[in-house]
Amino acid sequence: MSYEGIRITEELSESLQRVVGNPPRQHATLGELVKDMARRANLRDENPISERPTRHEVEVDGEILHTNCFGDALALPFVVRNSTFQVRSESPLGGEIRATATPAGVEGSPPDAVVSFGAIRVGEGPVQVTACPYINAFSSRADYERWVGATPEAVTIALSLEDAFALIRDLVAIGPEGAE
């Protein structure tokens, strides 16, 4: 199943809209939310590269980069074209998730890895503060659920690695000039 049909809560919809500076709107599915967010916010203006080391390390052409969140690592193939990105991310609970990302797709390990997608429940600020801490990779759905239980300040949804990649691709690719 693709991410587009995944049902989301009103709280998740409103929190993510607030993060990108959009007026809060209710979206029934993740696909509706992504299309609205991508049309209204130029996410390509966000710098996915962190100036400091993070839990999200990316190797490209022999260079090591750190990204603000796991989603930023997945976005790199659409920001820096024609490259293969080797991603190594440490879960907030410990454990390592690896992925190879290219513009054509993503493959990862472990095979049951999931990605959290969400934002802070209350508050405003830069994406790196309000969303990035809540966009992580986990070795399993059970690890994600444990993290959710220990992270009441956030509202998130768990996605497969493939769905997270497609979602990030669409957020970066549509952009305001691609609005329908």
Side-chain angles (χ1 to χ4, degrees), residues 9 11-12 15 18 92-93 118-123 130 133-134 136 138 144-157:
T9 66
E11 183 180 28
L12 178 61
S15 291
R18 189 177 55 254
L93 298 178
I120 195 165
R121 288 182 191 275
V122 178
T130 56
Y134 312 108
N136 294 291
F138 299 86
Y144 164 78
E145 295 293 343
R146 280 193 294 282
W147 175 77
V148 165
T151 314
E153 72 275 12
V155 57
T156 65
I157 190 168

Side-chain angles (χ1 to χ4, degrees), residues 98-170:
R98 290 186 175 265
T100 300
T102 68
V106 65
E107 292 181 9
S109 175
D112 294 336
V114 298
V115 178
S116 61
F117 181 70
I120 195 165
R121 288 182 191 275
V122 178
E124 296 183 15
V127 171
Q128 291 83 4
V129 173
T130 56
C132 281
Y134 312 108
I135 303 174
N136 294 291
F138 299 86
S139 297
S140 67
R141 178 74 182 223
D143 282 354
Y144 164 78
E145 295 293 343
R146 280 193 294 282
W147 175 77
V148 165
T151 314
E153 72 275 12
V155 57
T156 65
I157 190 168
L159 300 171
S160 70
L161 184 59
E162 294 79 13
D163 281 346
F165 180 80
L167 182 150
I168 296 297
R169 176 200 62 217
D170 292 352

